[in-house]
C-alpha cells in the first residue's frame, strides 16, 4: 500500500480505524458479559468523538491514531474534553499495511475522575495564512507522546475505561 494513501485518504482511514476499534472493544465487553452503548458525535466541537457507556461508567473519548513507526510525537486535544465526565484520549497505533490495531496510548484518569491537566501548550493551525503565519488555537492543547500511558491490548484498555477502583 503506498504511503501516500494514508495521507490522501486520511479521513476514510480514520473512519475505518474507528470502526475497527469499536468492534474490538465491543467484542471485549461482550466476552465480559457487559453491555456497552456507543454514541457518536457528528463534530468534535465538544472535545470528543464518541461517548461510551458501560458498567455504570460514561466516557467521553477523543480518538487519535497513527501507524506504528510514525514520527508523530504529539497530539492536539480540545480543552472542552476536560469538561466532560471521565474524559479521556485514546491514541490508537495500527499496522500501516493491514490497519490491524497494534496498541493504545492512554491519557485519562479512572472512571468518575477528571481528565488530567492538559497543560498550557497551545496548539496552532496546521496551515498558515497567506503571510505564512500559523494562528494559535486557544481551545487546543498539545500533549507529548510521553504524557500517554502505553496500553498493550484491548482487554487492558477496557479495564482503564470501565473498571472502578476500590480502596
Amino acid at each position: 500500500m503506498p504511503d501516500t494513501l494514508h495521507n490522501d485518504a486520511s479521513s476514510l482511514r480514520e473512519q475505518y480505524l474507528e470502526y475497527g476499534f469499536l468492534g474490538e472493544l465491543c467484542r471485549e465487553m461482550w466476552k465480559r458479559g457487559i453491555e456497552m452503548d456507543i454514541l457518536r458525535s457528528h463534530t468534535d466541537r465538544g472535545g470528543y468523538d464518541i461517548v461510551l457507556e458501560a458498567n455504570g461508567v460514561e466516557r467521553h473519548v477523543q480518538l487519535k491514531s497513527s501507524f506504528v513507526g510514525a514520527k508523530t510525537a504529539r497530539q492536539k486535544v480540545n480543552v472542552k474534553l476536560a469538561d466532560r465526565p471521565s474524559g479521556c484520549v485514546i491514541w490508537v497505533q495500527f499496522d500501516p499495511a493491514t490497519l490491524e490495531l497494534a496498541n493504545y496510548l492512554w491519557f485519562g484518569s479512572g472512571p468518575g475522575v477528571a481528565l488530567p491537566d492538559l497543560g498550557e501548550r497551545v496548539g496552532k493551525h496546521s496551515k498558515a495564512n497567506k503571510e505564512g503565519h500559523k494562528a494559535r488555537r486557544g481551545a487546543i492543547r498539545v500533549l507529548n507522546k510521553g504524557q500517554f500511558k502505553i496500553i498493550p491490548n484491548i482487554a487492558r484498555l477496557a479495564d482503564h475505561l470501565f473498571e472502578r477502583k476500590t480502596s
Side-chain angles (χ1 to χ4, degrees):
M1 175 181 302
D3 287 341
T4 57
L5 182 58
H6 285 292
N7 295 325
D8 294 345
S10 62
S11 293
L12 182 60
R13 182 199 71 200
E14 293 295 322
Q15 284 184 331
Y16 290 170
L17 288 168
E18 182 178 316
Y19 297 150
F21 166 72
L22 291 173
E24 290 289 323
L25 186 58
C26 286
R27 278 190 289 277
E28 178 62 29
M29 300 309 285
W30 183 264
K31 289 189 297 187
R32 294 174 183 214
I34 298 172
E35 294 178 9
M36 183 175 70
D37 282 330
I38 302 167
L39 303 172
R40 190 172 193 292
S41 175
H42 286 284
T43 66
D44 62 358
R45 285 182 35 190
Y48 60 92
D49 299 301
I50 56 175
V51 178
L52 304 172
E53 190 279 324
N55 208 23
V57 175
E58 182 179 272
R59 287 285 197 174
H60 287 75
V61 181
Q62 190 171 103
L63 290 172
K64 304 292 186 180
S65 69
S66 64
F67 58 85
V68 174
K71 294 179 184 176
T72 308
R74 60 192 61 87
Q75 292 290 350
K76 295 175 183 176
V77 177
N78 190 318
V79 296
K80 290 181 182 178
L81 184 62
D83 297 334
R84 305 295 176 184
S86 304
C88 62
V89 182
I90 299 173
W91 184 349
V92 178
Q93 295 188 310
F94 64 94
D95 181 294
T98 65
L99 295 188
E100 287 186 38
L101 308 183
N103 60 45
Y104 310 90
L105 300 175
W106 167 268
F107 184 83
S109 298
V113 181
L115 187 68
D117 184 39
L118 294 171
E120 298 301 319
R121 187 170 172 199
V122 177
K124 293 183 179 182
H125 283 278
S126 56
K127 295 183 181 177
N129 64 15
K130 63 183 178 181
E131 289 84 31
H133 176 71
K134 293 183 178 181
R136 291 169 51 96
R137 298 173 67 193
I140 302 297
R141 295 296 179 269
V142 178
L143 297 179
N144 292 322
K145 195 174 195 176
Q147 293 174 265
F148 287 77
K149 179 179 180 179
I150 298 171
I151 307 294
N153 56 53
I154 200 71
R156 294 290 310 269
L157 183 62
D159 293 343
H160 274 75
L161 284 166
F162 301 117
E163 282 193 6
R164 296 181 186 273
K165 304 286 187 234
T166 55
S167 326

